Amino acid sequence: MTQEVKEQIVELFATLKEAHEEMQIHLEEQNYTNVNTILADCQECALLIGNTIEQFENNQEKIIRELEEYYEKLYWLNSNLEEGRPINGGEIHKALDKRINEICKEVEDNIKVDL
């Protein structure tokens, strides 16, 4: 993978963390339409990251699996919102950020840059 592509992936992780913060705000304001949009955007971003990693790297199943689990967590959140279940924005924000930080560290540590 080129340095540029790896940097773009790391930037996408930072964008996801910003989205988590926005989601928390909208959850607290009970603006669920915006929350649903943010959840969908986060899912698309996770797919983009995963597809990019698969395109450039072999043997990164752990990272892909972690991205899939993150994606499933977003789906779970959306399902709970649709069912009217209460969601604590602060807890979700922390949990999603923690997951993204872990995946980003895996990318930084395990994906080598082509020379």
Side-chain angles (χ1 to χ4, degrees), residues 19-36 38 81 87-90:
H20 300 159
E21 189 172 330
E22 279 293 310
M23 187 177 2
Q24 177 182 351
I25 292 166
H26 290 296
L27 280 167
E28 290 168 357
E29 295 172 350
Q30 297 182 352
N31 186 343
Y32 300 126
T33 301
N34 286 352
V35 173
N36 288 334
I38 293 169
L81 281 174
I87 296 176
N88 182 311

Side-chain angles (χ1 to χ4, degrees), residues 60-112:
Q60 294 298 335
E61 291 85 10
K62 181 179 181 190
I63 294 171
I64 300 303
R65 185 174 55 252
E66 290 176 354
L67 282 165
E68 289 170 348
E69 290 171 4
Y70 170 79
Y71 185 97
E72 290 170 6
K73 179 71 170 181
L74 297 172
Y75 179 82
W76 175 86
L77 286 169
N78 190 49
S79 296
N80 281 318
L81 281 174
E82 288 178 357
E83 294 173 9
R85 294 184 182 149
I87 296 176
N88 182 311
E91 288 179 15
I92 292 303
H93 180 187
K94 287 178 189 174
L96 292 176
D97 274 3
K98 181 180 181 212
R99 172 54 91 190
I100 288 303
N101 286 336
E102 292 168 352
I103 300 169
C104 187
K105 181 161 176 35
E106 286 288 324
V107 168
E108 290 173 333
D109 292 349
N110 296 311
I111 294 183
K112 305 301 179 213

Side-chain angles (χ1 to χ4, degrees), residues 51-63:
N51 289 339
T52 302
I53 290 171
E54 286 180 329
Q55 178 183 356
F56 287 95
E57 294 292 314
N58 294 322
N59 302 317
Q60 294 298 335
E61 291 85 10
K62 181 179 181 190
I63 294 171

